[in-house]
Amino acid sequence: MSDISPLRNAVRNGSGLKQLGGTWGELLAEFLGTFVLIAFGDGVVAMAVAALPGSGRAATSTTIFMAAGDWLLITWGWALAVTLAVYVAGGVSGAHINPAVTVAFAVRRKFPWHKVGPYIVAQVVGAFAGAAMVYLLYHDAIDAYNKAVGTGRTDPKGLATYSIFATFPAPYFSGNPTGPLIDQIVGTAFLVMFVVAIIDIRNTAVQANLGPFMIGLAVAAIGMSLGANAGYAINPARDFGPRLFAWLAGWGQTALPGTVDGAFSWYFWVPIVGPVVGGVIGVLIYDWFIGDVLHAKARLQESTPPGRAGGETPPATEAEMAPKTQVPPKRTAA
């Protein structure tokens, strides 16, 4: 088996290996990893919203979100999407696949700041491409659902098919962005906290290459426990890339700037700002409560001689344990 793919070898005759082994290769990995994330994440929402009802596999052609069934389908679908994406890209770029993770790692994990911008661009472009592929596969189902409901993409009822691509706040917030913003901060703080805990070899780190699977389970937990408020974007690229595609594909102001008359307006910034802030908070919380403690414990173990617990008094030597005899003072001449 060749060390480099035949296609690349034919095109470039093996040149460019330095670039592939550096930042450019990492950006390709971030692009593909985020593409996989959205292809399977948005894909499972398309299944629940449009494909299953339209294919006759639901009670009616407009039956979605019945009890918890569809929500569980979506949360587990996104969990597997994250897992597979991390397995795809992890060995090259670390599989951030999320600007919130990239910024948090730059703040506290010595990730180079000069790579932050290129990583985010690669993630957003990958997310856009993933959304485009989902649309290619499901545009017939989307149109069939909208026709059954009797709505267009830009109508308020078009929000259902728009939800395949990006997020929006629950009606009980009455259009106030404060609640969804807090929701995104909290959800992403938990996400980044879990990620750094799972990969921290000083802690009870996951063994046997199961880290990506555990990160997927963390996303499932967040979706099941914190997802309904605002769709648990917890990833600016995951939301903005598909949102931009949905705007180009005809969902209009519902996508950008994120406005549905009488429901919410200019929402697009919430799943961008919230996750970035939450990611930094999450890594800081982990380091304050766990990371710094692990570091302190490691330093104590390094400074303690083998076989002796920290703070113990060293055992006395035989000479120290021998009975002491008093020597009479030497007399001097008067």
PDB file of all heavy atoms in Angstrom, residues 186-218:
ATOM      1  N   VAL A 186     -24.433  27.522  28.925  1.00  0.00           N
ATOM      2  CA  VAL A 186     -24.399  26.389  29.851  1.00  0.00           C
ATOM      3  C   VAL A 186     -24.137  25.078  29.111  1.00  0.00           C
ATOM      4  O   VAL A 186     -23.290  24.270  29.510  1.00  0.00           O
ATOM      5  CB  VAL A 186     -25.721  26.311  30.649  1.00  0.00           C
ATOM      6  CG1 VAL A 186     -25.785  25.019  31.458  1.00  0.00           C
ATOM      7  CG2 VAL A 186     -25.868  27.519  31.558  1.00  0.00           C
ATOM      8  N   GLY A 187     -24.860  24.847  28.017  1.00  0.00           N
ATOM      9  CA  GLY A 187     -24.700  23.598  27.277  1.00  0.00           C
ATOM     10  C   GLY A 187     -23.285  23.423  26.753  1.00  0.00           C
ATOM     11  O   GLY A 187     -22.708  22.325  26.838  1.00  0.00           O
ATOM     12  N   THR A 188     -22.704  24.489  26.207  1.00  0.00           N
ATOM     13  CA  THR A 188     -21.355  24.378  25.655  1.00  0.00           C
ATOM     14  C   THR A 188     -20.312  24.282  26.759  1.00  0.00           C
ATOM     15  O   THR A 188     -19.274  23.625  26.586  1.00  0.00           O
ATOM     16  CB  THR A 188     -21.042  25.565  24.735  1.00  0.00           C
ATOM     17  OG1 THR A 188     -22.143  25.791  23.857  1.00  0.00           O
ATOM     18  CG2 THR A 188     -19.807  25.283  23.901  1.00  0.00           C
ATOM     19  N   ALA A 189     -20.560  24.926  27.897  1.00  0.00           N
ATOM     20  CA  ALA A 189     -19.641  24.781  29.030  1.00  0.00           C
ATOM     21  C   ALA A 189     -19.563  23.325  29.458  1.00  0.00           C
ATOM     22  O   ALA A 189     -18.468  22.788  29.709  1.00  0.00           O
ATOM     23  CB  ALA A 189     -20.101  25.659  30.195  1.00  0.00           C
ATOM     24  N   PHE A 190     -20.703  22.661  29.527  1.00  0.00           N
ATOM     25  CA  PHE A 190     -20.698  21.234  29.854  1.00  0.00           C
ATOM     26  C   PHE A 190     -19.982  20.428  28.781  1.00  0.00           C
ATOM     27  O   PHE A 190     -19.186  19.526  29.083  1.00  0.00           O
ATOM     28  CB  PHE A 190     -22.125  20.712  30.018  1.00  0.00           C
ATOM     29  CG  PHE A 190     -22.694  20.916  31.394  1.00  0.00           C
ATOM     30  CD1 PHE A 190     -23.829  21.681  31.588  1.00  0.00           C
ATOM     31  CD2 PHE A 190     -22.095  20.335  32.506  1.00  0.00           C
ATOM     32  CE1 PHE A 190     -24.358  21.877  32.859  1.00  0.00           C
ATOM     33  CE2 PHE A 190     -22.607  20.519  33.779  1.00  0.00           C
ATOM     34  CZ  PHE A 190     -23.746  21.292  33.956  1.00  0.00           C
ATOM     35  N   LEU A 191     -20.238  20.742  27.513  1.00  0.00           N
ATOM     36  CA  LEU A 191     -19.604  20.002  26.431  1.00  0.00           C
ATOM     37  C   LEU A 191     -18.083  20.070  26.530  1.00  0.00           C
ATOM     38  O   LEU A 191     -17.398  19.031  26.506  1.00  0.00           O
ATOM     39  CB  LEU A 191     -20.054  20.552  25.076  1.00  0.00           C
ATOM     40  CG  LEU A 191     -19.314  19.984  23.852  1.00  0.00           C
ATOM     41  CD1 LEU A 191     -19.603  18.503  23.688  1.00  0.00           C
ATOM     42  CD2 LEU A 191     -19.676  20.765  22.596  1.00  0.00           C
ATOM     43  N   VAL A 192     -17.534  21.274  26.641  1.00  0.00           N
ATOM     44  CA  VAL A 192     -16.077  21.419  26.681  1.00  0.00           C
ATOM     45  C   VAL A 192     -15.517  20.823  27.966  1.00  0.00           C
ATOM     46  O   VAL A 192     -14.443  20.202  27.966  1.00  0.00           O
ATOM     47  CB  VAL A 192     -15.684  22.897  26.516  1.00  0.00           C
ATOM     48  CG1 VAL A 192     -14.187  23.085  26.716  1.00  0.00           C
ATOM     49  CG2 VAL A 192     -16.093  23.407  25.143  1.00  0.00           C
ATOM     50  N   MET A 193     -16.220  20.974  29.074  1.00  0.00           N
ATOM     51  CA  MET A 193     -15.785  20.351  30.321  1.00  0.00           C
ATOM     52  C   MET A 193     -15.662  18.843  30.159  1.00  0.00           C
ATOM     53  O   MET A 193     -14.674  18.217  30.569  1.00  0.00           O
ATOM     54  CB  MET A 193     -16.776  20.676  31.446  1.00  0.00           C
ATOM     55  CG  MET A 193     -16.348  20.163  32.815  1.00  0.00           C
ATOM     56  SD  MET A 193     -17.697  20.194  34.015  1.00  0.00           S
ATOM     57  CE  MET A 193     -18.286  21.879  33.842  1.00  0.00           C
ATOM     58  N   PHE A 194     -16.670  18.232  29.531  1.00  0.00           N
ATOM     59  CA  PHE A 194     -16.637  16.785  29.322  1.00  0.00           C
ATOM     60  C   PHE A 194     -15.510  16.390  28.370  1.00  0.00           C
ATOM     61  O   PHE A 194     -14.832  15.378  28.577  1.00  0.00           O
ATOM     62  CB  PHE A 194     -17.980  16.301  28.766  1.00  0.00           C
ATOM     63  CG  PHE A 194     -19.141  16.509  29.706  1.00  0.00           C
ATOM     64  CD1 PHE A 194     -20.433  16.648  29.214  1.00  0.00           C
ATOM     65  CD2 PHE A 194     -18.951  16.566  31.074  1.00  0.00           C
ATOM     66  CE1 PHE A 194     -21.499  16.836  30.059  1.00  0.00           C
ATOM     67  CE2 PHE A 194     -20.016  16.755  31.941  1.00  0.00           C
ATOM     68  CZ  PHE A 194     -21.304  16.888  31.430  1.00  0.00           C
ATOM     69  N   VAL A 195     -15.310  17.166  27.318  1.00  0.00           N
ATOM     70  CA  VAL A 195     -14.260  16.842  26.344  1.00  0.00           C
ATOM     71  C   VAL A 195     -12.889  16.842  27.014  1.00  0.00           C
ATOM     72  O   VAL A 195     -12.102  15.895  26.858  1.00  0.00           O
ATOM     73  CB  VAL A 195     -14.286  17.827  25.160  1.00  0.00           C
ATOM     74  CG1 VAL A 195     -13.027  17.676  24.311  1.00  0.00           C
ATOM     75  CG2 VAL A 195     -15.515  17.584  24.294  1.00  0.00           C
ATOM     76  N   VAL A 196     -12.580  17.902  27.768  1.00  0.00           N
ATOM     77  CA  VAL A 196     -11.247  17.971  28.386  1.00  0.00           C
ATOM     78  C   VAL A 196     -11.091  16.914  29.473  1.00  0.00           C
ATOM     79  O   VAL A 196      -9.984  16.410  29.703  1.00  0.00           O
ATOM     80  CB  VAL A 196     -10.945  19.387  28.926  1.00  0.00           C
ATOM     81  CG1 VAL A 196     -10.855  20.386  27.797  1.00  0.00           C
ATOM     82  CG2 VAL A 196     -11.961  19.837  29.949  1.00  0.00           C
ATOM     83  N   ALA A 197     -12.172  16.548  30.136  1.00  0.00           N
ATOM     84  CA  ALA A 197     -12.092  15.481  31.135  1.00  0.00           C
ATOM     85  C   ALA A 197     -11.815  14.137  30.467  1.00  0.00           C
ATOM     86  O   ALA A 197     -10.995  13.342  30.950  1.00  0.00           O
ATOM     87  CB  ALA A 197     -13.396  15.414  31.934  1.00  0.00           C
ATOM     88  N   ILE A 198     -12.475  13.888  29.344  1.00  0.00           N
ATOM     89  CA  ILE A 198     -12.330  12.607  28.658  1.00  0.00           C
ATOM     90  C   ILE A 198     -10.919  12.424  28.101  1.00  0.00           C
ATOM     91  O   ILE A 198     -10.375  11.313  28.113  1.00  0.00           O
ATOM     92  CB  ILE A 198     -13.385  12.491  27.538  1.00  0.00           C
ATOM     93  CG1 ILE A 198     -14.781  12.304  28.161  1.00  0.00           C
ATOM     94  CG2 ILE A 198     -13.078  11.348  26.584  1.00  0.00           C
ATOM     95  CD1 ILE A 198     -15.919  12.461  27.171  1.00  0.00           C
ATOM     96  N   ILE A 199     -10.295  13.506  27.631  1.00  0.00           N
ATOM     97  CA  ILE A 199      -8.973  13.383  27.011  1.00  0.00           C
ATOM     98  C   ILE A 199      -7.830  13.649  27.990  1.00  0.00           C
ATOM     99  O   ILE A 199      -6.662  13.530  27.599  1.00  0.00           O
ATOM    100  CB  ILE A 199      -8.845  14.336  25.802  1.00  0.00           C
ATOM    101  CG1 ILE A 199      -8.881  15.802  26.247  1.00  0.00           C
ATOM    102  CG2 ILE A 199      -9.926  14.059  24.777  1.00  0.00           C
ATOM    103  CD1 ILE A 199      -8.651  16.794  25.115  1.00  0.00           C
ATOM    104  N   ASP A 200      -8.131  13.992  29.232  1.00  0.00           N
ATOM    105  CA  ASP A 200      -7.100  14.310  30.221  1.00  0.00           C
ATOM    106  C   ASP A 200      -6.496  13.018  30.767  1.00  0.00           C
ATOM    107  O   ASP A 200      -7.126  12.315  31.560  1.00  0.00           O
ATOM    108  CB  ASP A 200      -7.699  15.145  31.347  1.00  0.00           C
ATOM    109  CG  ASP A 200      -6.635  15.745  32.263  1.00  0.00           C
ATOM    110  OD1 ASP A 200      -5.460  15.316  32.170  1.00  0.00           O
ATOM    111  OD2 ASP A 200      -6.970  16.642  33.057  1.00  0.00           O
ATOM    112  N   ILE A 201      -5.274  12.697  30.357  1.00  0.00           N
ATOM    113  CA  ILE A 201      -4.655  11.441  30.771  1.00  0.00           C
ATOM    114  C   ILE A 201      -4.306  11.435  32.253  1.00  0.00           C
ATOM    115  O   ILE A 201      -4.039  10.379  32.828  1.00  0.00           O
ATOM    116  CB  ILE A 201      -3.395  11.141  29.940  1.00  0.00           C
ATOM    117  CG1 ILE A 201      -2.366  12.252  30.095  1.00  0.00           C
ATOM    118  CG2 ILE A 201      -3.757  10.937  28.468  1.00  0.00           C
ATOM    119  CD1 ILE A 201      -1.034  11.951  29.419  1.00  0.00           C
ATOM    120  N   ARG A 202      -4.296  12.592  32.907  1.00  0.00           N
ATOM    121  CA  ARG A 202      -4.040  12.639  34.335  1.00  0.00           C
ATOM    122  C   ARG A 202      -5.263  12.191  35.126  1.00  0.00           C
ATOM    123  O   ARG A 202      -5.165  11.811  36.288  1.00  0.00           O
ATOM    124  CB  ARG A 202      -3.663  14.056  34.762  1.00  0.00           C
ATOM    125  CG  ARG A 202      -2.474  14.649  34.040  1.00  0.00           C
ATOM    126  CD  ARG A 202      -2.363  16.133  34.329  1.00  0.00           C
ATOM    127  NE  ARG A 202      -3.585  16.842  33.956  1.00  0.00           N
ATOM    128  CZ  ARG A 202      -3.829  18.122  34.236  1.00  0.00           C
ATOM    129  NH1 ARG A 202      -2.926  18.825  34.905  1.00  0.00           N
ATOM    130  NH2 ARG A 202      -4.955  18.691  33.851  1.00  0.00           N
ATOM    131  N   ASN A 203      -6.433  12.283  34.498  1.00  0.00           N
ATOM    132  CA  ASN A 203      -7.683  11.916  35.145  1.00  0.00           C
ATOM    133  C   ASN A 203      -7.985  10.463  34.787  1.00  0.00           C
ATOM    134  O   ASN A 203      -7.116   9.736  34.322  1.00  0.00           O
ATOM    135  CB  ASN A 203      -8.792  12.873  34.655  1.00  0.00           C
ATOM    136  CG  ASN A 203      -9.914  13.017  35.659  1.00  0.00           C
ATOM    137  OD1 ASN A 203     -10.153  12.135  36.467  1.00  0.00           O
ATOM    138  ND2 ASN A 203     -10.605  14.140  35.613  1.00  0.00           N
ATOM    139  N   THR A 204      -9.224  10.027  34.964  1.00  0.00           N
ATOM    140  CA  THR A 204      -9.608   8.664  34.567  1.00  0.00           C
ATOM    141  C   THR A 204      -9.884   8.653  33.073  1.00  0.00           C
ATOM    142  O   THR A 204     -11.035   8.481  32.631  1.00  0.00           O
ATOM    143  CB  THR A 204     -10.848   8.200  35.355  1.00  0.00           C
ATOM    144  OG1 THR A 204     -11.894   9.176  35.200  1.00  0.00           O
ATOM    145  CG2 THR A 204     -10.521   8.025  36.817  1.00  0.00           C
ATOM    146  N   ALA A 205      -8.848   8.880  32.288  1.00  0.00           N
ATOM    147  CA  ALA A 205      -8.984   9.009  30.842  1.00  0.00           C
ATOM    148  C   ALA A 205      -9.530   7.732  30.224  1.00  0.00           C
ATOM    149  O   ALA A 205      -9.258   6.618  30.686  1.00  0.00           O
ATOM    150  CB  ALA A 205      -7.636   9.357  30.217  1.00  0.00           C
ATOM    151  N   VAL A 206     -10.306   7.897  29.156  1.00  0.00           N
ATOM    152  CA  VAL A 206     -10.891   6.757  28.461  1.00  0.00           C
ATOM    153  C   VAL A 206      -9.781   5.982  27.765  1.00  0.00           C
ATOM    154  O   VAL A 206      -8.887   6.557  27.148  1.00  0.00           O
ATOM    155  CB  VAL A 206     -11.932   7.239  27.431  1.00  0.00           C
ATOM    156  CG1 VAL A 206     -12.501   6.065  26.661  1.00  0.00           C
ATOM    157  CG2 VAL A 206     -13.044   7.996  28.149  1.00  0.00           C
ATOM    158  N   GLN A 207      -9.842   4.666  27.847  1.00  0.00           N
ATOM    159  CA  GLN A 207      -8.829   3.808  27.257  1.00  0.00           C
ATOM    160  C   GLN A 207      -9.351   3.164  25.972  1.00  0.00           C
ATOM    161  O   GLN A 207     -10.516   3.314  25.599  1.00  0.00           O
ATOM    162  CB  GLN A 207      -8.411   2.727  28.264  1.00  0.00           C
ATOM    163  CG  GLN A 207      -7.912   3.276  29.593  1.00  0.00           C
ATOM    164  CD  GLN A 207      -6.658   4.109  29.454  1.00  0.00           C
ATOM    165  OE1 GLN A 207      -5.743   3.744  28.718  1.00  0.00           O
ATOM    166  NE2 GLN A 207      -6.614   5.239  30.153  1.00  0.00           N
ATOM    167  N   ALA A 208      -8.469   2.425  25.290  1.00  0.00           N
ATOM    168  CA  ALA A 208      -8.822   1.612  24.119  1.00  0.00           C
ATOM    169  C   ALA A 208      -9.472   2.436  23.012  1.00  0.00           C
ATOM    170  O   ALA A 208     -10.365   1.961  22.321  1.00  0.00           O
ATOM    171  CB  ALA A 208      -9.745   0.456  24.525  1.00  0.00           C
ATOM    172  N   ASN A 209      -9.034   3.679  22.838  1.00  0.00           N
ATOM    173  CA  ASN A 209      -9.504   4.520  21.742  1.00  0.00           C
ATOM    174  C   ASN A 209     -11.018   4.741  21.772  1.00  0.00           C
ATOM    175  O   ASN A 209     -11.658   4.876  20.731  1.00  0.00           O
ATOM    176  CB  ASN A 209      -9.104   3.915  20.386  1.00  0.00           C
ATOM    177  CG  ASN A 209      -9.140   4.934  19.269  1.00  0.00           C
ATOM    178  OD1 ASN A 209      -8.980   6.124  19.502  1.00  0.00           O
ATOM    179  ND2 ASN A 209      -9.354   4.473  18.056  1.00  0.00           N
ATOM    180  N   LEU A 210     -11.600   4.785  22.959  1.00  0.00           N
ATOM    181  CA  LEU A 210     -13.040   5.004  23.088  1.00  0.00           C
ATOM    182  C   LEU A 210     -13.382   6.462  23.369  1.00  0.00           C
ATOM    183  O   LEU A 210     -14.547   6.780  23.622  1.00  0.00           O
ATOM    184  CB  LEU A 210     -13.608   4.116  24.200  1.00  0.00           C
ATOM    185  CG  LEU A 210     -13.704   2.627  23.869  1.00  0.00           C
ATOM    186  CD1 LEU A 210     -14.185   1.851  25.090  1.00  0.00           C
ATOM    187  CD2 LEU A 210     -14.640   2.385  22.696  1.00  0.00           C
ATOM    188  N   GLY A 211     -12.388   7.338  23.320  1.00  0.00           N
ATOM    189  CA  GLY A 211     -12.650   8.749  23.577  1.00  0.00           C
ATOM    190  C   GLY A 211     -13.725   9.340  22.684  1.00  0.00           C
ATOM    191  O   GLY A 211     -14.648  10.005  23.179  1.00  0.00           O
ATOM    192  N   PRO A 212     -13.657   9.141  21.357  1.00  0.00           N
ATOM    193  CA  PRO A 212     -14.702   9.697  20.488  1.00  0.00           C
ATOM    194  C   PRO A 212     -16.096   9.199  20.840  1.00  0.00           C
ATOM    195  O   PRO A 212     -17.068   9.963  20.780  1.00  0.00           O
ATOM    196  CB  PRO A 212     -14.280   9.228  19.090  1.00  0.00           C
ATOM    197  CG  PRO A 212     -12.797   9.074  19.188  1.00  0.00           C
ATOM    198  CD  PRO A 212     -12.556   8.558  20.573  1.00  0.00           C
ATOM    199  N   PHE A 213     -16.200   7.932  21.220  1.00  0.00           N
ATOM    200  CA  PHE A 213     -17.509   7.382  21.589  1.00  0.00           C
ATOM    201  C   PHE A 213     -18.043   8.066  22.845  1.00  0.00           C
ATOM    202  O   PHE A 213     -19.229   8.404  22.921  1.00  0.00           O
ATOM    203  CB  PHE A 213     -17.391   5.878  21.818  1.00  0.00           C
ATOM    204  CG  PHE A 213     -18.663   5.230  22.269  1.00  0.00           C
ATOM    205  CD1 PHE A 213     -19.746   5.099  21.407  1.00  0.00           C
ATOM    206  CD2 PHE A 213     -18.793   4.750  23.562  1.00  0.00           C
ATOM    207  CE1 PHE A 213     -20.923   4.496  21.827  1.00  0.00           C
ATOM    208  CE2 PHE A 213     -19.963   4.150  23.987  1.00  0.00           C
ATOM    209  CZ  PHE A 213     -21.032   4.022  23.120  1.00  0.00           C
ATOM    210  N   MET A 214     -17.171   8.302  23.819  1.00  0.00           N
ATOM    211  CA  MET A 214     -17.605   8.952  25.047  1.00  0.00           C
ATOM    212  C   MET A 214     -17.986  10.402  24.799  1.00  0.00           C
ATOM    213  O   MET A 214     -18.927  10.927  25.406  1.00  0.00           O
ATOM    214  CB  MET A 214     -16.509   8.860  26.110  1.00  0.00           C
ATOM    215  CG  MET A 214     -16.229   7.466  26.597  1.00  0.00           C
ATOM    216  SD  MET A 214     -17.709   6.618  27.212  1.00  0.00           S
ATOM    217  CE  MET A 214     -18.236   7.725  28.508  1.00  0.00           C
ATOM    218  N   ILE A 215     -17.279  11.073  23.896  1.00  0.00           N
ATOM    219  CA  ILE A 215     -17.663  12.445  23.544  1.00  0.00           C
ATOM    220  C   ILE A 215     -19.038  12.441  22.888  1.00  0.00           C
ATOM    221  O   ILE A 215     -19.867  13.326  23.140  1.00  0.00           O
ATOM    222  CB  ILE A 215     -16.597  13.076  22.629  1.00  0.00           C
ATOM    223  CG1 ILE A 215     -15.292  13.281  23.420  1.00  0.00           C
ATOM    224  CG2 ILE A 215     -17.082  14.405  22.071  1.00  0.00           C
ATOM    225  CD1 ILE A 215     -14.119  13.717  22.572  1.00  0.00           C
ATOM    226  N   GLY A 216     -19.303  11.439  22.049  1.00  0.00           N
ATOM    227  CA  GLY A 216     -20.636  11.304  21.466  1.00  0.00           C
ATOM    228  C   GLY A 216     -21.698  11.119  22.529  1.00  0.00           C
ATOM    229  O   GLY A 216     -22.790  11.711  22.450  1.00  0.00           O
ATOM    230  N   LEU A 217     -21.410  10.312  23.543  1.00  0.00           N
ATOM    231  CA  LEU A 217     -22.370  10.133  24.638  1.00  0.00           C
ATOM    232  C   LEU A 217     -22.592  11.437  25.402  1.00  0.00           C
ATOM    233  O   LEU A 217     -23.704  11.710  25.862  1.00  0.00           O
ATOM    234  CB  LEU A 217     -21.875   9.042  25.594  1.00  0.00           C
ATOM    235  CG  LEU A 217     -21.905   7.608  25.085  1.00  0.00           C
ATOM    236  CD1 LEU A 217     -21.492   6.651  26.198  1.00  0.00           C
ATOM    237  CD2 LEU A 217     -23.290   7.225  24.555  1.00  0.00           C
ATOM    238  N   ALA A 218     -21.540  12.236  25.537  1.00  0.00           N
ATOM    239  CA  ALA A 218     -21.690  13.531  26.203  1.00  0.00           C
ATOM    240  C   ALA A 218     -22.655  14.419  25.428  1.00  0.00           C
ATOM    241  O   ALA A 218     -23.512  15.102  26.015  1.00  0.00           O
ATOM    242  CB  ALA A 218     -20.329  14.213  26.337  1.00  0.00           C
TER     243      ALA A 218
END
